[in-house]
């Protein structure tokens, strides 16, 4: 059974600081997604990582994937209040017949304080 | 833009009632998914469908059934609602096939069973 673990689960940081969220998973996969969820809202796709060594950046967020270590990271640079949200990683156990099937981590609730 | 809509944002039902949650997508996606989201547990897959009238159990199908009579519509059914089914329910859709496909999420239905 695939397990996906994120840490930390709760993160309170100051504006301007850097931090990294970690996503570990238990089974071989070369496809991983990061999503953002604002309170009371649905999930919004942030990054799609498709191969070992993949790195994607959007604004102050950068995601990477190491399939050998079964680890993805989401790095936050110079945090701003607007980044406050819950971040989920999801591992894709794609199947030949039916396409992707995601297993989600527990989520990391990020609060950026002024 | 992909649009996934869910029939209700908030729903209150009584124990033993039959509950229908409806999801509609407008992007001609083959795959549709139902998740429930609970604090500390992330998102857990209940059922998914990769074609009309086709369905597969996810990780927590007990107490639920689904129906997909048309490509754009996927219904989640609670035959006899129980209090432990109080949760946020999220619908998602994606294209099929091996090519990594993002899942796009609806706004969610917060169901309370009294």
């Amino acid at each position: 059974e695939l397990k996906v673990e994120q840490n930390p689960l709760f993160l309170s940081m100051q504006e301007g600081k850097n931090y990294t969220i970690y996503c570990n998973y238990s089974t071989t996969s070369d496809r991983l997604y990061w999503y953002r969820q604002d309170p009371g809202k649905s999930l919004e796709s942030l990054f799609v990582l498709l191969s070992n060594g993949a790195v994607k950046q959007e604004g102050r967020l950068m995601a990477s994937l190491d399939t050998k270590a079964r680890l993805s990271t989401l790095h936050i640079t110079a945090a701003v209040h607007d980044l406050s949200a819950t971040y989920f990683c999801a591992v894709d156990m794609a199947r030949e017949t039916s396409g992707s099937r995601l297993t989600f981590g527990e989520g990391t609730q990020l609060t950026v304080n002024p | 833009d992909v649009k996934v809509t869910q029939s209700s944002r908030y729903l209150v039902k009584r124990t033993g009632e039959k509950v229908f949650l409806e999801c509609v997508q407008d992007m001609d996606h083959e795959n549709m998914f139902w998740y429930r989201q609970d604090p500390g547990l992330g998102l857990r897959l209940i059922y998914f469908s990769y074609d009309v009238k086709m369905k597969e159990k996810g990780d927590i199908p007990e107490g639920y059934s689904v129906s997909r009579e048309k490509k754009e519509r996927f219904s989640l059914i609670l035959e006899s609602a129980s209090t432990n089914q109080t949760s946020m329910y999220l619908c998602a859709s994606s294209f099929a096939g091996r090519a990594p496909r993002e899942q796009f999420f609806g706004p969610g239905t917060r169901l309370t069973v009294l």
Side-chain angles (χ1 to χ4, degrees), chain B residues 38-72:
Chain B
D38 300 288
L41 296 177
L43 275 75
R44 293 178 293 167
L45 181 64
I46 304 171
Y47 266 99
F48 68 103
S49 168
Y50 52 88
D51 201 353
V52 174
K53 296 192 188 294
M54 305 300 285
K55 61 185 178 186
E56 277 197 36
K57 292 180 180 179
D59 299 316
I60 51 163
E62 296 78 19
Y64 303 95
S65 62
V66 291
S67 172
R68 191 158 180 210
E69 297 296 320
K70 293 186 177 181
K71 189 175 185 179
E72 67 271 18

Side-chain angles (χ1 to χ4, degrees), chain A residues 13 19-20 40 58 79 95 111:
Chain A
M13 56 190 298
Y19 208 84
T20 300
E58 179 75 33
R95 299 177 173 193
T111 304

Side-chain angles (χ1 to χ4, degrees), chain B residues 3-8 20-34 48-55 66-77 91-93:
Chain B
K3 194 131 189 212
V4 181
T5 56
Q6 295 182 229
S7 51
S8 306
F20 292 87
L21 303 182
E22 301 271 315
C23 175
V24 177
Q25 51 92 7
D26 67 357
M27 280 302 292
D28 204 32
H29 285 164
E30 293 86 3
N31 291 352
M32 296 188 75
F33 307 83
W34 275 107
F48 68 103
S49 168
Y50 52 88
D51 201 353
V52 174
K53 296 192 188 294
M54 305 300 285
K55 61 185 178 186
V66 291
S67 172
R68 191 158 180 210
E69 297 296 320
K70 293 186 177 181
K71 189 175 185 179
E72 67 271 18
R73 189 178 298 268
F74 192 35
S75 302
L76 180 69
I77 304 153
C91 174
S93 70

Side-chain angles (χ1 to χ4, degrees), chain A residues 40-59:
Chain A
K41 300 281 183 69
S42 191
L43 274 72
E44 172 192 351
S45 177
L46 288 176
F47 299 109
V48 179
L49 302 170
L50 302 179
S51 60
N52 186 39
V55 177
K56 295 273 183 79
Q57 182 158 10
E58 179 75 33

